[in-house]
Amino acid sequence: MTHSLVCPETVSRVSSVLNRNTRQFGKKHLFDQDEETCWNSDQGPSQWVTLEFPQRIRVSQLQIQFQGGFSSRWGHLEGSQGSEPLSKIVDFYPQDSNSLQTFPVPVAEVDRLKVTFEDTTDFFGRVVIYHLRVLGERV
C-alpha cells in the first residue's frame, strides 16, 4: 500500500531559505500539512531538497504543491542507497499552478533522495512549495 514516507526521523536539507528566515519559510513547512505555511527558497539558478530516510524505501510517486509564479518548469529526482553516489531516477515537468501535482516515479529502492528544481518560473529563481510528499512503501 502506498503512503507518505517522510517521518519525524527523516533528515531534510534545502538549498536555501528566503532571507534565512527559517521560522517563517523553513524546510519544516514542506511536511507540516498546513495550507498556510511553505518553504520559500532564496534566489539562485536551481533549488533542491534532500531527504535521508531512517530505512530503505520504495518510491512510487512524488507530490508537490507550488505557489503559482514560483514553481519550476523542470525538475529531477535522484536517489541512492547508503554511501553510493546519487543517480538520476526520473525527470519531471511541473505546471505553474497552485494545485497539488503528482509525478509517477519508476520504482526505486533508496534511503536518500534529492529533488532538484531547475528553470524556475520566478525571474530571480525562487521556489515556493506548500507540500512535498514522497509516496511508496518502506522496505
Side-chain angles (χ1 to χ4, degrees):
M1 183 170 141
T2 299
H3 58 276
S4 180
L5 298 170
V6 176
C7 64
E9 292 79 31
T10 303
V11 176
S12 61
R13 292 183 179 83
V14 293
S15 52
S16 64
V17 175
L18 183 65
N19 300 326
R20 297 183 185 204
N21 185 345
T22 57
R23 186 172 181 193
Q24 187 172 3
F25 301 119
K27 63 186 179 183
K28 66 182 179 240
H29 299 305
L30 288 167
F31 315 109
D32 65 6
Q33 307 300 315
D34 186 340
E35 298 294 326
E36 301 295 318
T37 63
C38 62
W39 167 58
N40 192 333
S41 76
D42 216 335
Q43 35 187 342
S46 71
Q47 303 296 333
W48 50 262
V49 177
T50 61
L51 301 168
E52 294 179 24
F53 297 90
Q55 67 186 67
R56 188 148 301 152
I57 60 167
R58 185 175 298 124
V59 183
S60 60
Q61 293 180 359
L62 183 64
Q63 290 185 330
I64 306 170
Q65 183 177 3
F66 293 98
Q67 177 177 320
F70 294 89
S71 66
S72 167
R73 292 181 185 94
W74 167 63
H76 51 94
L77 180 66
E78 299 171 283
S80 69
Q81 294 180 5
S83 60
E84 294 176 3
L86 293 167
S87 60
K88 184 158 60 167
I89 298 171
V90 69
D91 290 324
F92 58 93
Y93 300 91
Q95 296 177 355
D96 186 14
S97 78
N98 297 327
S99 61
L100 184 67
Q101 301 176 57
T102 301
F103 304 98
V105 174
V107 175
E109 288 189 13
V110 299
D111 53 28
R112 250 184 350 144
L113 286 174
K114 182 177 183 180
V115 185
T116 304
F117 305 100
E118 307 280 1
D119 193 18
T120 61
T121 57
D122 175 58
F123 179 76
F124 296 103
R126 295 169 295 188
V127 173
V128 177
I129 298 178
Y130 284 87
H131 302 292
L132 176 64
R133 296 183 187 125
V134 176
L135 303 178
E137 303 172 328
R138 289 177 178 82
V139 177

